[in-house]
Structure formats: structure tokens, C-alpha cells
Amino acid sequence: MEEVNDDFRQRIYALVAQIPKGRVMTYGQLAALAGSPYAARIVGGIAHWGDPDLPWQRVVMKDGSLAPGYPGGTAGHAEALRVEGVAINDEFKIENMAERLWRPPHPDQNSLL
DNA sequence: ATGCTGACAGGAG
DNA sequence: ACTCCTGCCAGCA
């Protein structure tokens, strides 16, 4: 039953790995999708200690701010996102955050349009 | 096994 | 608009 903990991390990996280039997801959203809406901080922890091969640069704060613990600081994170095609303001915040936010596909919802 | 920490989020001043 | 405080939960030592 405790596998939920283990799954939590696994789900975060899966979700992050599925984030399309040019899109971003918030820690809280990832946590919620993983099963714990209040474990946003944990996602940050996993991002720091988790698999470095995953595109953690696409994981940002709900406010559109970038991760302070990212290699190189917010500046490094901003630059990484610019490469992804994401526009970053001089305030190191994502422009049109709502549009950049990636919404994971529904399990069995047929996309009709 | 326990405690402290933290790449967050939300509410209040 | 910005800053400060609180809550929350898994990971790490």
C-alpha cells in the first residue's frame, strides 16, 4: 500500500517526461496529478534529486516564476526555457503562462476536436 | 524509525 | 503590487 509513495515519484517522472517542448507545468499541478495536491514541494525535491535526464526546466511555479534551485539559478532556468521556445520576461517570469501551461491528456476522454 | 528540510502554494497585511 | 507567514508531504541524513 505504501507503494503510493513510490508511485508518486514514478508518476512525477512520467508526467514530466510527457511535457511537450515549449510547454510547462506547475509543481502543484504535477503533485495533484500524482495524487497529492499539497505535495508541490515534494515535486521540487524530486526535481532536484530525481532523474536529471528529465526536462525539469519545463517545471515552473504556478506564478510563472522559475526555479531558484535550478542549475545556474533562475537565470539558468530562464535560458533553458528560451531554448525550448518559451519567452521569459526581464523579471524572469514566463509570458502568457496560462498558454504555456501544458494540460495532460485525459485517460479515456476522446478528443473530438 | 525520527526529525528537519525544501526547485511550492495560498492567504493575509 | 509586494512582502511575510502558515500549511503541507515525501525525500534525505
Side-chain angles (χ1 to χ4, degrees), chain A residues 14-90:
Chain A
L15 288 166
V16 175
Q18 291 305 309
I19 302 175
K21 179 181 167 196
R23 291 289 186 184
V24 296
M25 285 185 75
T26 68
Y27 297 94
Q29 187 172 4
L30 285 167
L33 292 170
S36 297
Y38 290 91
R41 311 180 70 178
I42 292 33
V43 178
I46 295 172
H48 186 79
W49 288 299
D51 190 328
D53 189 57
L54 293 173
W56 299 107
Q57 47 228 47
R58 296 172 187 162
V59 183
V60 299
M61 298 201 186
K62 195 181 184 191
D63 181 38
S65 303
L66 305 181
Y70 191 89
T74 27
H77 193 173
E79 189 172 342
L81 284 171
R82 286 177 185 174
V83 177
E84 299 276 302
V86 180
I88 308 297
N89 287 347
D90 289 344

